[in-house]
Amino acid sequence: MDTFELKPPRLVRSYAIPVDEAVFAGIPSVTALKPLPAMNLMLAAAMDHRVIGCDLASEIPAEDAGEDAAGLTGTHLNWSHDGWIHALDVHPDGRRVATGGVDRIVKLWRWGEDEPLAVCAGHEEWVRVLAFSPDAQLLASAGDDCMVRLWNVETAEQLATLDPETSYLDALAWSPDSTTLYAGGNDGLIHSWDVRQEKLIGSTDIGNRRNIEDETLNGGFSYPGGIRGMTCSPSGELLAAVGLTSLRVLNTADGGEVLSREGRGFGVAFHPSSRWLAFSQEKDIVFWDFESGQECQRVPANQLGLFDIAFFDDGRRLAAGGCNGRVDIWDLS
């Protein structure tokens, strides 16, 4: 990674989300993306009862093999919920996957098996976000019941309930050493916990809150969070949060602000090197270079509401999905 230099992003693949009209009459927005490297798949949650798989090795039809790399469609997997799957995450082992959504439950799956390993019940409202701890021991879940729940990955036992005494939660992020968990939602506060002691360390107001009572997107899709996406840098030094008014990047050591950019965004991701940050801003993907201290790339993604962004392939590619019902793959090398 030390020799990698970020090149102007080039769109190489674009997957349409398959439409099941019995489930959702319209364009199914992509709300979560996670790579499954061992299977060469990009997994997506997309306003459907089933997880979507985008085959990264699929051949692009010759008539569509131009600049836009279109002509591809994701595939419904057998992993399903009783209602829209809003969140998913991939375990560090690269084979287990967690899903959650409207039915208020969390399911654990293993690649190659159609039945869940475990079903975790406890949330009283929608599950909006899931995050495995980097040490592979815990799964954090949060959503509209305003609670963060911690689950033992191996036993599926609920170990703790973390109550920030706040409103809807829509974003979670772990520190690389798995000792600190961050959560954010529609009140614009970032809450941080010492997970081992189950103790709230503090709450930081980044002024990124939802000011519109019922703003809708994509013909009726509403989003509750002020803070819509959050991630900790692989170095552990920075925490980035993006939402309805701005991007904020904080120093994890003292909570000081490192970067502030105004504008509505939803998805955010650090490059594995921690040097670059990718975040959505309206219809664009913006790349920030912390070494130079400036924006280094801006790509028109043409999706209003890029709800999730994910680096993969050792940071040489990036996936982005949003409310236009597409998963786009960009080559950065």
Side-chain angles (χ1 to χ4, degrees):
M1 295 307 301
D2 293 340
T3 60
F4 177 79
E5 286 296 328
L6 185 73
K7 303 297 183 183
R10 181 172 61 94
L11 182 65
V12 292
R13 289 172 177 270
S14 187
Y15 299 83
I17 296 300
V19 176
D20 184 345
E21 295 184 356
V23 173
F24 185 78
I27 299 174
S29 297
V30 177
T31 52
L33 284 173
K34 288 295 181 297
L36 200 64
M39 302 301 115
N40 210 11
L41 279 177
M42 183 62 61
L43 301 181
M47 281 186 162
D48 202 288
H49 294 192
R50 290 164 290 175
V51 175
I52 309 298
C54 299
D55 182 0
L56 297 173
S58 57
E59 184 176 348
I60 299 171
E63 63 271 20
D64 295 308
E67 184 177 348
D68 291 337
L72 299 171
T73 301
T75 302
H76 283 115
L77 305 184
N78 290 329
W79 298 346
S80 64
H81 278 247
D82 185 16
W84 169 26
I85 300 174
H86 191 280
L88 62 83
D89 196 22
V90 173
H91 187 269
D93 68 9
R95 298 191 66 86
R96 283 177 287 182
V97 176
T99 57
V102 177
D103 57 6
R104 308 175 183 179
I105 62 175
V106 175
K107 291 185 178 182
L108 296 175
W109 312 85
R110 179 181 286 119
W111 181 257
E113 300 177 12
D114 291 341
E115 296 299 320
L117 296 172
V119 176
C120 307
H123 282 284
E124 297 177 359
E125 294 294 342
W126 284 27
V127 177
R128 294 274 182 178
V129 59
L130 296 164
F132 283 108
S133 60
D135 67 5
Q137 302 301 307
L138 300 174
L139 173 67
S141 60
D144 291 4
D145 62 2
C146 313
M147 297 286 186
V148 179
R149 301 180 190 274
L150 296 179
W151 311 86
N152 181 302
V153 172
E154 300 303 327
T155 66
E157 175 189 3
Q158 183 174 313
L159 301 178
T161 300
L162 308 178
D163 184 2
E165 297 183 357
T166 186
S167 49
Y168 300 129
L169 294 172
D170 211 38
L172 293 170
W174 286 94
S175 63
D177 63 5
S178 301
T179 62
T180 305
L181 179 65
Y182 304 93
N186 76 330
D187 61 3
L189 297 175
I190 296 176
H191 310 281
S192 56
W193 283 273
D194 180 323
V195 175
R196 292 172 180 170
Q197 299 185 44
E198 299 177 17
K199 177 182 178 182
L200 183 66
I201 301 170
S203 300
T204 303
D205 189 347
I206 63 170
N208 201 340
R209 56 184 53 85
R210 184 182 182 186
N211 298 312
I212 300 174
E213 179 59 28
D214 193 25
E215 185 175 359
T216 58
L217 197 63
N218 188 32
F221 170 54
S222 67
Y223 40 88
I227 297 174
R228 284 285 295 137
M230 191 158 52
T231 185
C232 196
S233 65
S235 68
E237 297 174 352
L238 301 174
L239 179 71
V242 69
L244 299 191
T245 60
S246 64
L247 165 83
R248 297 284 188 266
V249 180
L250 308 179
N251 186 317
T252 56
D254 57 15
E257 189 172 88
V258 176
L259 175 64
S260 175
R261 294 293 295 263
E262 300 303 312
R264 184 173 67 174
F266 298 92
V268 62
F270 272 102
H271 187 268
S273 67
S274 297
R275 174 179 171 179
W276 294 284
L277 180 73
F279 59 96
S280 64
Q281 196 168 54
E282 297 299 341
K283 295 183 179 182
D284 295 343
I285 303 174
V286 179
F287 294 83
W288 185 269
D289 185 345
F290 286 99
E291 187 173 292
S292 66
Q294 62 185 3
E295 179 182 314
C296 60
Q297 303 284 351
R298 179 179 286 262
V299 180
N302 296 319
Q303 290 205 68
L304 179 59
L306 284 169
F307 296 128
D308 205 2
I309 295 173
F311 283 100
F312 66 107
D313 191 16
D314 293 327
R316 289 175 170 79
R317 288 190 287 175
L318 179 137
C323 71
N324 285 41
R326 293 198 323 269
V327 174
D328 293 333
I329 306 296
W330 304 81
D331 186 341
L332 311 177
S333 62

